[in-house]
Amino acid sequence: MSEQPAAERRPLDATAADAVRAYAAGERARTDRLASVLEDIAAHGYPPAESGVPWETARDNHLAELAGEQNRVT
């Protein structure tokens, strides 16, 4: 993975290592979901357009979700 020998690496503290592992697990789960969707499309074709969500609606929902997650100072 890395070209550096293990002796030259700086170890992470336990909290940072746990955070990196949690991030990796989340990315792995998202990648698995994407792979599952692509495999379904390959096996069964595209779903009908009527069953989807318009991209504008998906965008607006996602932006609203992101805005709700932000910490605000009042």
Side-chain angles (χ1 to χ4, degrees):
M1 185 159 223
S2 174
E3 297 297 320
Q4 291 183 333
E8 293 181 24
R9 291 186 177 193
R10 293 181 301 157
L12 298 175
D13 62 51
T15 304
D18 288 343
V20 170
R21 286 186 193 98
Y23 181 78
E27 289 299 308
R28 187 173 292 113
R30 282 186 284 281
T31 302
D32 287 346
R33 278 194 303 273
L34 175 60
S36 176
V37 168
L38 295 175
E39 288 169 351
D40 182 69
I41 290 171
H44 306 288
Y46 290 110
E50 299 81 29
S51 69
V53 175
W55 74 268
E56 295 92 345
T57 303
R59 177 202 59 208
D60 293 345
N61 290 344
H62 185 66
L63 290 174
E65 184 179 313
L66 289 174
E69 292 176 2
Q70 293 178 0
N71 294 329
R72 298 192 186 280
V73 176
T74 57

